[in-house]
């Protein structure tokens, strides 16, 4: 046991290392404190990163919901306009047919009889 105490109190050069041991201890404590601060900073950064990640995911969901609503509204509007166009086209075709019939009827009333000689 005595040899252990001698090793602890003497450095390799044979000088008393009690001050040296205190310096090493202080260095280890300082290093431990710095390590703890680094760990706390990393934890804080992880929390901040998670916050921004969550925010980005929420915004992405909101954006997708908006896109879906916009697409649904556009599709509904397009389908409504296409159907309206079809109905108007059909009405125009019917009106044109009626007008053609009236022209034909009018033309047949005003026909001159053919004279054969």
């Amino acid at each position: 046991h005595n040899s252990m105490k001698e090793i602890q109190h003497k450095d390799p050069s044979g000088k008393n290392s009690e001050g040296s041991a205190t310096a090493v201890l202080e260095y280890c404590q300082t290093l431990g404190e710095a390590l703890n601060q680094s760990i706390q900073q990393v934890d804080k950064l992880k929390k901040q990163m998670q916050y921004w990640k969550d925010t980005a995911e929420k915004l992405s969901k909101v954006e997708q919901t908006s896109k879906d609503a916009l697409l649904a509204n556009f599709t509904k509007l397009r389908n409504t306009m296409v159907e309206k166009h079809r109905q108007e086209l059909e009405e125009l075709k019917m009106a044109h047919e009626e007008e053609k019939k009236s022209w034909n009827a009018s033309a047949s009333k005003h026909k001159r009889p053919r004279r054969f000689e």
Side-chain angles (χ1 to χ4, degrees):
H1 291 280
N2 282 342
S3 63
M4 195 67 159
K5 284 184 181 181
E6 287 176 20
I7 292 173
Q8 289 176 352
H9 291 291
K10 291 187 180 181
D11 65 16
S13 66
K15 296 180 182 173
N16 187 345
S17 64
E18 195 170 304
S20 172
T22 304
V24 169
L25 182 60
E26 288 174 359
Y27 173 76
C28 289
Q29 287 175 333
T30 303
L31 190 62
E33 289 171 2
L35 185 59
N36 284 336
Q37 282 182 339
S38 294
I39 290 170
Q40 289 173 354
Q41 287 175 345
V42 167
D43 286 343
K44 183 179 178 183
L45 290 173
K46 281 182 181 179
K47 287 177 185 176
Q48 289 175 346
M49 182 181 69
Q50 188 61 44
Y51 170 79
W52 287 113
K53 182 180 175 188
D54 292 346
T55 300
E57 288 172 355
K58 287 176 187 174
L59 287 174
S60 178
K61 288 177 185 175
V62 167
E63 181 183 20
Q64 188 61 47
T65 302
S66 296
K67 284 181 183 179
D68 293 344
L70 183 62
L71 179 61
N73 290 339
F74 174 79
T75 303
K76 183 178 179 181
L77 177 63
R78 180 194 170 277
N79 291 341
T80 301
M81 295 307 293
V82 166
E83 185 57 34
K84 184 176 179 180
H85 172 74
R86 284 184 187 151
Q87 288 174 354
E88 289 176 355
L89 185 61
E90 195 60 38
E91 289 172 8
L92 286 172
K93 283 181 182 179
M94 290 173 49
H96 181 68
E97 289 298 320
E98 290 295 321
E99 193 171 338
K100 272 175 61 178
K101 287 179 186 176
S102 71
W103 289 342
N104 290 337
S106 176
S108 63
K109 285 182 185 177
H110 297 291
K111 271 189 180 178
R112 293 183 188 171
R114 283 188 179 177
R115 294 186 188 180
F116 296 102
E117 295 182 20

